[in-house]
Amino acid sequence: MKIILPLLSLVFAASTFAAPMNATSPANVEHSPENVSVAGPKPSKSMFGGYRALNRSIKNRETSITRDIIFEYKAPRVEKFQGQYYWAVPFTYATVYSSPQHLYGKPLSDGVAITEARALVSHGRVAYWLYDAPRPVHSSIPVR
């Protein structure tokens, strides 16, 4: 419980509901580790956390995801997306969603979803942010 309350307050304070203009569903992506040079140089990590290309894109407001809601970055890998090769940097983040059911014009409940997404990086710049809209799931965590 000590971890959940700060997480919820962090997510509510730092999240937005708007999706970026280039947010795309991550379907139909091929993995191809043998074509590493085609995607440009591998994204470099920042000494302040995360990856430089992602941090720069977040700072320039190219996505609604912020650095403070990202929990974990995974190792970049080469992926083919829409006929081009990119470095895909997977990460895990928290987002807030509203219940689709309404009572007196207000949502019944808000929730926090922990989900995975990827940023596709080519030659040091984020070309696409790939993530799906969060879906409500039932949790085994008791709510008091």
Side-chain angles (χ1 to χ4, degrees):
M1 194 67 171
K2 291 180 182 178
I3 296 174
I4 293 174
L5 292 177
L7 172 65
L8 289 175
S9 64
L10 171 73
V11 170
F12 284 120
S15 68
T16 62
F17 295 104
M21 294 184 62
N22 66 350
T24 311
S25 177
N28 299 328
V29 177
E30 298 176 22
H31 302 285
S32 181
E34 63 272 0
N35 293 322
V36 173
S37 64
V38 180
K42 185 175 181 177
S44 59
K45 283 195 162 190
S46 171
M47 66 185 218
F48 299 109
Y51 287 86
R52 289 185 178 128
L54 276 68
N55 293 344
R56 198 171 29 251
S57 179
I58 290 170
K59 183 179 176 186
N60 292 336
R61 298 178 190 259
E62 295 173 1
T63 183
S64 61
I65 296 173
T66 58
R67 286 187 55 196
D68 52 352
I69 64 172
I70 297 176
F71 292 109
E72 174 188 25
Y73 292 93
K74 295 180 182 161
R77 62 182 185 268
V78 175
E79 288 184 4
K80 185 176 183 181
F81 180 73
Q82 296 180 348
Q84 298 290 324
Y85 289 97
Y86 300 97
W87 282 101
V89 181
F91 58 93
T92 305
Y93 72 103
T95 187
V96 177
Y97 64 87
S98 295
S99 172
Q101 300 171 347
H102 288 75
L103 180 66
Y104 305 117
K106 295 183 181 178
L108 287 177
S109 65
D110 288 335
V112 176
I114 307 299
T115 187
E116 291 189 4
R118 291 190 310 278
L120 298 184
V121 180
S122 177
H123 301 285
R125 297 191 47 89
V126 176
Y128 295 98
W129 290 90
L130 301 179
Y131 52 90
D132 288 327
R135 294 178 184 86
V137 294
H138 294 288
S139 174
S140 61
I141 300 172
V143 178
R144 298 181 190 178

PDB file of all heavy atoms in Angstrom, residues 1-37:
ATOM      1  N   MET A   1       0.820  -1.186   0.000  1.00  0.00           N
ATOM      2  CA  MET A   1       0.000   0.000   0.000  1.00  0.00           C
ATOM      3  C   MET A   1       0.867   1.253   0.000  1.00  0.00           C
ATOM      4  O   MET A   1       0.477   2.257  -0.561  1.00  0.00           O
ATOM      5  CB  MET A   1      -0.913  -0.045   1.227  1.00  0.00           C
ATOM      6  CG  MET A   1      -2.012   0.938   1.170  1.00  0.00           C
ATOM      7  SD  MET A   1      -3.134   0.490  -0.150  1.00  0.00           S
ATOM      8  CE  MET A   1      -4.429   1.602   0.145  1.00  0.00           C
ATOM      9  N   LYS A   2       2.052   1.167   0.634  1.00  0.00           N
ATOM     10  CA  LYS A   2       2.942   2.323   0.679  1.00  0.00           C
ATOM     11  C   LYS A   2       3.427   2.702  -0.712  1.00  0.00           C
ATOM     12  O   LYS A   2       3.720   3.854  -0.967  1.00  0.00           O
ATOM     13  CB  LYS A   2       4.137   2.033   1.580  1.00  0.00           C
ATOM     14  CG  LYS A   2       3.778   1.936   3.041  1.00  0.00           C
ATOM     15  CD  LYS A   2       5.002   1.657   3.856  1.00  0.00           C
ATOM     16  CE  LYS A   2       4.669   1.504   5.325  1.00  0.00           C
ATOM     17  NZ  LYS A   2       5.834   1.184   6.126  1.00  0.00           N
ATOM     18  N   ILE A   3       3.531   1.734  -1.602  1.00  0.00           N
ATOM     19  CA  ILE A   3       4.013   2.006  -2.952  1.00  0.00           C
ATOM     20  C   ILE A   3       2.878   2.456  -3.864  1.00  0.00           C
ATOM     21  O   ILE A   3       3.071   3.299  -4.725  1.00  0.00           O
ATOM     22  CB  ILE A   3       4.694   0.750  -3.527  1.00  0.00           C
ATOM     23  CG1 ILE A   3       5.925   0.419  -2.705  1.00  0.00           C
ATOM     24  CG2 ILE A   3       5.052   0.934  -4.983  1.00  0.00           C
ATOM     25  CD1 ILE A   3       6.590  -0.867  -3.084  1.00  0.00           C
ATOM     26  N   ILE A   4       1.684   1.941  -3.657  1.00  0.00           N
ATOM     27  CA  ILE A   4       0.575   2.229  -4.553  1.00  0.00           C
ATOM     28  C   ILE A   4       0.123   3.685  -4.468  1.00  0.00           C
ATOM     29  O   ILE A   4      -0.112   4.331  -5.486  1.00  0.00           O
ATOM     30  CB  ILE A   4      -0.604   1.278  -4.271  1.00  0.00           C
ATOM     31  CG1 ILE A   4      -0.189  -0.147  -4.645  1.00  0.00           C
ATOM     32  CG2 ILE A   4      -1.842   1.683  -5.053  1.00  0.00           C
ATOM     33  CD1 ILE A   4      -1.209  -1.192  -4.274  1.00  0.00           C
ATOM     34  N   LEU A   5       0.024   4.244  -3.267  1.00  0.00           N
ATOM     35  CA  LEU A   5      -0.450   5.624  -3.133  1.00  0.00           C
ATOM     36  C   LEU A   5       0.475   6.639  -3.782  1.00  0.00           C
ATOM     37  O   LEU A   5       0.009   7.511  -4.524  1.00  0.00           O
ATOM     38  CB  LEU A   5      -0.692   5.960  -1.667  1.00  0.00           C
ATOM     39  CG  LEU A   5      -1.875   5.214  -1.028  1.00  0.00           C
ATOM     40  CD1 LEU A   5      -1.983   5.569   0.440  1.00  0.00           C
ATOM     41  CD2 LEU A   5      -3.155   5.539  -1.752  1.00  0.00           C
ATOM     42  N   PRO A   6       1.806   6.575  -3.575  1.00  0.00           N
ATOM     43  CA  PRO A   6       2.665   7.525  -4.303  1.00  0.00           C
ATOM     44  C   PRO A   6       2.605   7.319  -5.814  1.00  0.00           C
ATOM     45  O   PRO A   6       2.658   8.282  -6.574  1.00  0.00           O
ATOM     46  CB  PRO A   6       4.067   7.228  -3.773  1.00  0.00           C
ATOM     47  CG  PRO A   6       3.856   6.588  -2.457  1.00  0.00           C
ATOM     48  CD  PRO A   6       2.562   5.843  -2.569  1.00  0.00           C
ATOM     49  N   LEU A   7       2.467   6.061  -6.250  1.00  0.00           N
ATOM     50  CA  LEU A   7       2.355   5.790  -7.676  1.00  0.00           C
ATOM     51  C   LEU A   7       1.097   6.428  -8.246  1.00  0.00           C
ATOM     52  O   LEU A   7       1.133   7.083  -9.274  1.00  0.00           O
ATOM     53  CB  LEU A   7       2.336   4.283  -7.927  1.00  0.00           C
ATOM     54  CG  LEU A   7       2.043   3.847  -9.355  1.00  0.00           C
ATOM     55  CD1 LEU A   7       3.161   4.299 -10.267  1.00  0.00           C
ATOM     56  CD2 LEU A   7       1.858   2.362  -9.416  1.00  0.00           C
ATOM     57  N   LEU A   8      -0.020   6.273  -7.565  1.00  0.00           N
ATOM     58  CA  LEU A   8      -1.263   6.866  -8.037  1.00  0.00           C
ATOM     59  C   LEU A   8      -1.186   8.387  -8.071  1.00  0.00           C
ATOM     60  O   LEU A   8      -1.627   9.010  -9.037  1.00  0.00           O
ATOM     61  CB  LEU A   8      -2.433   6.419  -7.152  1.00  0.00           C
ATOM     62  CG  LEU A   8      -2.861   4.966  -7.291  1.00  0.00           C
ATOM     63  CD1 LEU A   8      -3.936   4.638  -6.284  1.00  0.00           C
ATOM     64  CD2 LEU A   8      -3.328   4.680  -8.692  1.00  0.00           C
ATOM     65  N   SER A   9      -0.624   8.986  -7.036  1.00  0.00           N
ATOM     66  CA  SER A   9      -0.521  10.444  -7.032  1.00  0.00           C
ATOM     67  C   SER A   9       0.419  10.931  -8.129  1.00  0.00           C
ATOM     68  O   SER A   9       0.168  11.956  -8.761  1.00  0.00           O
ATOM     69  CB  SER A   9      -0.071  10.946  -5.664  1.00  0.00           C
ATOM     70  OG  SER A   9       1.224  10.486  -5.372  1.00  0.00           O
ATOM     71  N   LEU A  10       1.486  10.204  -8.376  1.00  0.00           N
ATOM     72  CA  LEU A  10       2.413  10.557  -9.445  1.00  0.00           C
ATOM     73  C   LEU A  10       1.732  10.476 -10.795  1.00  0.00           C
ATOM     74  O   LEU A  10       1.853  11.378 -11.622  1.00  0.00           O
ATOM     75  CB  LEU A  10       3.634   9.625  -9.414  1.00  0.00           C
ATOM     76  CG  LEU A  10       4.591   9.723 -10.592  1.00  0.00           C
ATOM     77  CD1 LEU A  10       5.376  11.019 -10.487  1.00  0.00           C
ATOM     78  CD2 LEU A  10       5.516   8.548 -10.609  1.00  0.00           C
ATOM     79  N   VAL A  11       0.986   9.417 -11.016  1.00  0.00           N
ATOM     80  CA  VAL A  11       0.327   9.231 -12.300  1.00  0.00           C
ATOM     81  C   VAL A  11      -0.748  10.292 -12.513  1.00  0.00           C
ATOM     82  O   VAL A  11      -0.862  10.857 -13.591  1.00  0.00           O
ATOM     83  CB  VAL A  11      -0.261   7.809 -12.395  1.00  0.00           C
ATOM     84  CG1 VAL A  11      -1.143   7.668 -13.610  1.00  0.00           C
ATOM     85  CG2 VAL A  11       0.860   6.787 -12.440  1.00  0.00           C
ATOM     86  N   PHE A  12      -1.548  10.579 -11.490  1.00  0.00           N
ATOM     87  CA  PHE A  12      -2.589  11.586 -11.642  1.00  0.00           C
ATOM     88  C   PHE A  12      -1.993  12.966 -11.888  1.00  0.00           C
ATOM     89  O   PHE A  12      -2.522  13.740 -12.666  1.00  0.00           O
ATOM     90  CB  PHE A  12      -3.494  11.630 -10.408  1.00  0.00           C
ATOM     91  CG  PHE A  12      -4.465  10.487 -10.361  1.00  0.00           C
ATOM     92  CD1 PHE A  12      -4.446   9.610  -9.307  1.00  0.00           C
ATOM     93  CD2 PHE A  12      -5.383  10.294 -11.376  1.00  0.00           C
ATOM     94  CE1 PHE A  12      -5.332   8.552  -9.257  1.00  0.00           C
ATOM     95  CE2 PHE A  12      -6.264   9.242 -11.337  1.00  0.00           C
ATOM     96  CZ  PHE A  12      -6.250   8.362 -10.285  1.00  0.00           C
ATOM     97  N   ALA A  13      -0.894  13.277 -11.258  1.00  0.00           N
ATOM     98  CA  ALA A  13      -0.297  14.603 -11.391  1.00  0.00           C
ATOM     99  C   ALA A  13       0.417  14.781 -12.722  1.00  0.00           C
ATOM    100  O   ALA A  13       0.476  15.885 -13.249  1.00  0.00           O
ATOM    101  CB  ALA A  13       0.684  14.850 -10.252  1.00  0.00           C
ATOM    102  N   ALA A  14       0.958  13.701 -13.285  1.00  0.00           N
ATOM    103  CA  ALA A  14       1.826  13.842 -14.443  1.00  0.00           C
ATOM    104  C   ALA A  14       1.227  13.353 -15.747  1.00  0.00           C
ATOM    105  O   ALA A  14       1.851  13.477 -16.783  1.00  0.00           O
ATOM    106  CB  ALA A  14       3.129  13.084 -14.183  1.00  0.00           C
ATOM    107  N   SER A  15       0.048  12.803 -15.729  1.00  0.00           N
ATOM    108  CA  SER A  15      -0.458  12.202 -16.954  1.00  0.00           C
ATOM    109  C   SER A  15      -1.352  13.149 -17.726  1.00  0.00           C
ATOM    110  O   SER A  15      -1.911  14.096 -17.197  1.00  0.00           O
ATOM    111  CB  SER A  15      -1.226  10.924 -16.637  1.00  0.00           C
ATOM    112  OG  SER A  15      -2.406  11.241 -15.949  1.00  0.00           O
ATOM    113  N   THR A  16      -1.456  12.840 -19.019  1.00  0.00           N
ATOM    114  CA  THR A  16      -2.405  13.526 -19.876  1.00  0.00           C
ATOM    115  C   THR A  16      -3.179  12.468 -20.635  1.00  0.00           C
ATOM    116  O   THR A  16      -2.727  11.337 -20.769  1.00  0.00           O
ATOM    117  CB  THR A  16      -1.697  14.454 -20.883  1.00  0.00           C
ATOM    118  OG1 THR A  16      -0.878  13.649 -21.722  1.00  0.00           O
ATOM    119  CG2 THR A  16      -0.888  15.511 -20.188  1.00  0.00           C
ATOM    120  N   PHE A  17      -4.323  12.828 -21.136  1.00  0.00           N
ATOM    121  CA  PHE A  17      -5.145  11.856 -21.843  1.00  0.00           C
ATOM    122  C   PHE A  17      -4.994  11.967 -23.354  1.00  0.00           C
ATOM    123  O   PHE A  17      -5.528  11.169 -24.086  1.00  0.00           O
ATOM    124  CB  PHE A  17      -6.618  12.043 -21.463  1.00  0.00           C
ATOM    125  CG  PHE A  17      -6.867  11.731 -20.024  1.00  0.00           C
ATOM    126  CD1 PHE A  17      -7.051  12.753 -19.121  1.00  0.00           C
ATOM    127  CD2 PHE A  17      -6.897  10.430 -19.580  1.00  0.00           C
ATOM    128  CE1 PHE A  17      -7.273  12.482 -17.790  1.00  0.00           C
ATOM    129  CE2 PHE A  17      -7.123  10.151 -18.259  1.00  0.00           C
ATOM    130  CZ  PHE A  17      -7.311  11.177 -17.350  1.00  0.00           C
ATOM    131  N   ALA A  18      -4.272  12.948 -23.830  1.00  0.00           N
ATOM    132  CA  ALA A  18      -4.139  13.136 -25.261  1.00  0.00           C
ATOM    133  C   ALA A  18      -3.067  12.211 -25.821  1.00  0.00           C
ATOM    134  O   ALA A  18      -2.007  12.054 -25.249  1.00  0.00           O
ATOM    135  CB  ALA A  18      -3.753  14.586 -25.560  1.00  0.00           C
ATOM    136  N   ALA A  19      -3.355  11.608 -26.937  1.00  0.00           N
ATOM    137  CA  ALA A  19      -2.372  10.765 -27.613  1.00  0.00           C
ATOM    138  C   ALA A  19      -1.624  11.619 -28.621  1.00  0.00           C
ATOM    139  O   ALA A  19      -2.168  12.577 -29.158  1.00  0.00           O
ATOM    140  CB  ALA A  19      -3.059   9.612 -28.324  1.00  0.00           C
ATOM    141  N   PRO A  20      -0.364  11.313 -28.865  1.00  0.00           N
ATOM    142  CA  PRO A  20       0.376  12.098 -29.842  1.00  0.00           C
ATOM    143  C   PRO A  20      -0.156  11.841 -31.243  1.00  0.00           C
ATOM    144  O   PRO A  20      -0.823  10.848 -31.487  1.00  0.00           O
ATOM    145  CB  PRO A  20       1.810  11.590 -29.691  1.00  0.00           C
ATOM    146  CG  PRO A  20       1.658  10.229 -29.171  1.00  0.00           C
ATOM    147  CD  PRO A  20       0.439  10.261 -28.294  1.00  0.00           C
ATOM    148  N   MET A  21       0.153  12.739 -32.136  1.00  0.00           N
ATOM    149  CA  MET A  21      -0.361  12.610 -33.489  1.00  0.00           C
ATOM    150  C   MET A  21       0.185  11.376 -34.191  1.00  0.00           C
ATOM    151  O   MET A  21      -0.464  10.817 -35.045  1.00  0.00           O
ATOM    152  CB  MET A  21      -0.028  13.861 -34.288  1.00  0.00           C
ATOM    153  CG  MET A  21      -0.758  15.083 -33.766  1.00  0.00           C
ATOM    154  SD  MET A  21      -0.489  16.543 -34.750  1.00  0.00           S
ATOM    155  CE  MET A  21      -1.182  16.030 -36.300  1.00  0.00           C
ATOM    156  N   ASN A  22       1.398  10.930 -33.849  1.00  0.00           N
ATOM    157  CA  ASN A  22       1.969   9.782 -34.527  1.00  0.00           C
ATOM    158  C   ASN A  22       1.876   8.501 -33.707  1.00  0.00           C
ATOM    159  O   ASN A  22       2.561   7.548 -33.991  1.00  0.00           O
ATOM    160  CB  ASN A  22       3.415  10.061 -34.942  1.00  0.00           C
ATOM    161  CG  ASN A  22       4.329  10.225 -33.752  1.00  0.00           C
ATOM    162  OD1 ASN A  22       3.879  10.325 -32.609  1.00  0.00           O
ATOM    163  ND2 ASN A  22       5.617  10.269 -34.016  1.00  0.00           N
ATOM    164  N   ALA A  23       1.013   8.455 -32.701  1.00  0.00           N
ATOM    165  CA  ALA A  23       0.827   7.231 -31.925  1.00  0.00           C
ATOM    166  C   ALA A  23       0.174   6.184 -32.815  1.00  0.00           C
ATOM    167  O   ALA A  23      -0.826   6.441 -33.456  1.00  0.00           O
ATOM    168  CB  ALA A  23      -0.035   7.491 -30.704  1.00  0.00           C
ATOM    169  N   THR A  24       0.778   5.025 -32.875  1.00  0.00           N
ATOM    170  CA  THR A  24       0.333   3.984 -33.775  1.00  0.00           C
ATOM    171  C   THR A  24       0.285   2.666 -33.039  1.00  0.00           C
ATOM    172  O   THR A  24       1.087   2.418 -32.157  1.00  0.00           O
ATOM    173  CB  THR A  24       1.327   3.858 -34.953  1.00  0.00           C
ATOM    174  OG1 THR A  24       1.578   5.151 -35.479  1.00  0.00           O
ATOM    175  CG2 THR A  24       0.772   2.991 -36.048  1.00  0.00           C
ATOM    176  N   SER A  25      -0.622   1.824 -33.425  1.00  0.00           N
ATOM    177  CA  SER A  25      -0.702   0.485 -32.851  1.00  0.00           C
ATOM    178  C   SER A  25       0.525  -0.312 -33.268  1.00  0.00           C
ATOM    179  O   SER A  25       0.971  -0.229 -34.412  1.00  0.00           O
ATOM    180  CB  SER A  25      -1.967  -0.212 -33.339  1.00  0.00           C
ATOM    181  OG  SER A  25      -2.013  -1.514 -32.845  1.00  0.00           O
ATOM    182  N   PRO A  26       1.101  -1.110 -32.357  1.00  0.00           N
ATOM    183  CA  PRO A  26       2.345  -1.811 -32.669  1.00  0.00           C
ATOM    184  C   PRO A  26       2.178  -3.102 -33.456  1.00  0.00           C
ATOM    185  O   PRO A  26       3.012  -3.974 -33.389  1.00  0.00           O
ATOM    186  CB  PRO A  26       2.929  -2.094 -31.282  1.00  0.00           C
ATOM    187  CG  PRO A  26       1.761  -2.162 -30.393  1.00  0.00           C
ATOM    188  CD  PRO A  26       0.765  -1.202 -30.952  1.00  0.00           C
ATOM    189  N   ALA A  27       1.120  -3.275 -34.196  1.00  0.00           N
ATOM    190  CA  ALA A  27       0.911  -4.506 -34.957  1.00  0.00           C
ATOM    191  C   ALA A  27       1.791  -4.535 -36.215  1.00  0.00           C
ATOM    192  O   ALA A  27       2.254  -3.504 -36.698  1.00  0.00           O
ATOM    193  CB  ALA A  27      -0.546  -4.622 -35.354  1.00  0.00           C
ATOM    194  N   ASN A  28       1.993  -5.722 -36.750  1.00  0.00           N
ATOM    195  CA  ASN A  28       2.719  -5.949 -38.004  1.00  0.00           C
ATOM    196  C   ASN A  28       4.141  -5.393 -37.980  1.00  0.00           C
ATOM    197  O   ASN A  28       4.549  -4.655 -38.859  1.00  0.00           O
ATOM    198  CB  ASN A  28       1.967  -5.361 -39.188  1.00  0.00           C
ATOM    199  CG  ASN A  28       0.601  -5.986 -39.349  1.00  0.00           C
ATOM    200  OD1 ASN A  28       0.417  -7.163 -39.024  1.00  0.00           O
ATOM    201  ND2 ASN A  28      -0.348  -5.221 -39.836  1.00  0.00           N
ATOM    202  N   VAL A  29       4.905  -5.741 -36.970  1.00  0.00           N
ATOM    203  CA  VAL A  29       6.290  -5.304 -36.851  1.00  0.00           C
ATOM    204  C   VAL A  29       7.179  -6.533 -36.933  1.00  0.00           C
ATOM    205  O   VAL A  29       6.942  -7.528 -36.275  1.00  0.00           O
ATOM    206  CB  VAL A  29       6.528  -4.563 -35.511  1.00  0.00           C
ATOM    207  CG1 VAL A  29       7.973  -4.174 -35.367  1.00  0.00           C
ATOM    208  CG2 VAL A  29       5.649  -3.327 -35.449  1.00  0.00           C
ATOM    209  N   GLU A  30       8.206  -6.476 -37.774  1.00  0.00           N
ATOM    210  CA  GLU A  30       9.139  -7.591 -37.929  1.00  0.00           C
ATOM    211  C   GLU A  30      10.423  -7.297 -37.160  1.00  0.00           C
ATOM    212  O   GLU A  30      10.906  -6.180 -37.161  1.00  0.00           O
ATOM    213  CB  GLU A  30       9.501  -7.790 -39.404  1.00  0.00           C
ATOM    214  CG  GLU A  30       8.346  -8.151 -40.291  1.00  0.00           C
ATOM    215  CD  GLU A  30       8.767  -8.240 -41.744  1.00  0.00           C
ATOM    216  OE1 GLU A  30       9.975  -8.444 -42.007  1.00  0.00           O
ATOM    217  OE2 GLU A  30       7.905  -8.111 -42.600  1.00  0.00           O
ATOM    218  N   HIS A  31      10.980  -8.320 -36.535  1.00  0.00           N
ATOM    219  CA  HIS A  31      12.268  -8.189 -35.859  1.00  0.00           C
ATOM    220  C   HIS A  31      13.348  -8.695 -36.804  1.00  0.00           C
ATOM    221  O   HIS A  31      13.205  -9.740 -37.419  1.00  0.00           O
ATOM    222  CB  HIS A  31      12.292  -9.013 -34.573  1.00  0.00           C
ATOM    223  CG  HIS A  31      11.217  -8.614 -33.623  1.00  0.00           C
ATOM    224  ND1 HIS A  31      11.284  -7.460 -32.877  1.00  0.00           N
ATOM    225  CD2 HIS A  31      10.031  -9.194 -33.308  1.00  0.00           C
ATOM    226  CE1 HIS A  31      10.204  -7.357 -32.147  1.00  0.00           C
ATOM    227  NE2 HIS A  31       9.418  -8.390 -32.382  1.00  0.00           N
ATOM    228  N   SER A  32      14.441  -7.952 -36.930  1.00  0.00           N
ATOM    229  CA  SER A  32      15.490  -8.344 -37.851  1.00  0.00           C
ATOM    230  C   SER A  32      16.855  -7.944 -37.295  1.00  0.00           C
ATOM    231  O   SER A  32      17.364  -6.875 -37.599  1.00  0.00           O
ATOM    232  CB  SER A  32      15.253  -7.688 -39.213  1.00  0.00           C
ATOM    233  OG  SER A  32      16.248  -8.087 -40.107  1.00  0.00           O
ATOM    234  N   PRO A  33      17.480  -8.796 -36.462  1.00  0.00           N
ATOM    235  CA  PRO A  33      18.760  -8.426 -35.863  1.00  0.00           C
ATOM    236  C   PRO A  33      19.935  -8.377 -36.836  1.00  0.00           C
ATOM    237  O   PRO A  33      20.953  -7.790 -36.537  1.00  0.00           O
ATOM    238  CB  PRO A  33      18.975  -9.511 -34.815  1.00  0.00           C
ATOM    239  CG  PRO A  33      18.151 -10.654 -35.263  1.00  0.00           C
ATOM    240  CD  PRO A  33      16.998 -10.081 -36.028  1.00  0.00           C
ATOM    241  N   GLU A  34      19.813  -8.968 -38.036  1.00  0.00           N
ATOM    242  CA  GLU A  34      20.952  -8.970 -38.959  1.00  0.00           C
ATOM    243  C   GLU A  34      21.111  -7.659 -39.715  1.00  0.00           C
ATOM    244  O   GLU A  34      22.129  -7.413 -40.333  1.00  0.00           O
ATOM    245  CB  GLU A  34      20.843 -10.142 -39.952  1.00  0.00           C
ATOM    246  CG  GLU A  34      19.639 -10.082 -40.859  1.00  0.00           C
ATOM    247  CD  GLU A  34      18.398 -10.747 -40.268  1.00  0.00           C
ATOM    248  OE1 GLU A  34      18.458 -11.269 -39.153  1.00  0.00           O
ATOM    249  OE2 GLU A  34      17.361 -10.710 -40.935  1.00  0.00           O
ATOM    250  N   ASN A  35      20.130  -6.763 -39.692  1.00  0.00           N
ATOM    251  CA  ASN A  35      20.198  -5.502 -40.422  1.00  0.00           C
ATOM    252  C   ASN A  35      20.443  -4.322 -39.489  1.00  0.00           C
ATOM    253  O   ASN A  35      19.794  -3.296 -39.600  1.00  0.00           O
ATOM    254  CB  ASN A  35      18.907  -5.290 -41.213  1.00  0.00           C
ATOM    255  CG  ASN A  35      18.751  -6.296 -42.321  1.00  0.00           C
ATOM    256  OD1 ASN A  35      19.729  -6.653 -42.964  1.00  0.00           O
ATOM    257  ND2 ASN A  35      17.538  -6.763 -42.545  1.00  0.00           N
ATOM    258  N   VAL A  36      21.389  -4.454 -38.594  1.00  0.00           N
ATOM    259  CA  VAL A  36      21.632  -3.431 -37.585  1.00  0.00           C
ATOM    260  C   VAL A  36      22.112  -2.115 -38.200  1.00  0.00           C
ATOM    261  O   VAL A  36      21.680  -1.046 -37.795  1.00  0.00           O
ATOM    262  CB  VAL A  36      22.647  -3.959 -36.536  1.00  0.00           C
ATOM    263  CG1 VAL A  36      23.049  -2.857 -35.584  1.00  0.00           C
ATOM    264  CG2 VAL A  36      22.054  -5.128 -35.791  1.00  0.00           C
ATOM    265  N   SER A  37      22.967  -2.150 -39.192  1.00  0.00           N
ATOM    266  CA  SER A  37      23.528  -0.919 -39.750  1.00  0.00           C
ATOM    267  C   SER A  37      22.503  -0.102 -40.522  1.00  0.00           C
ATOM    268  O   SER A  37      22.667   1.100 -40.694  1.00  0.00           O
ATOM    269  CB  SER A  37      24.717  -1.250 -40.652  1.00  0.00           C
ATOM    270  OG  SER A  37      24.279  -2.024 -41.764  1.00  0.00           O
TER     271      SER A  37
END
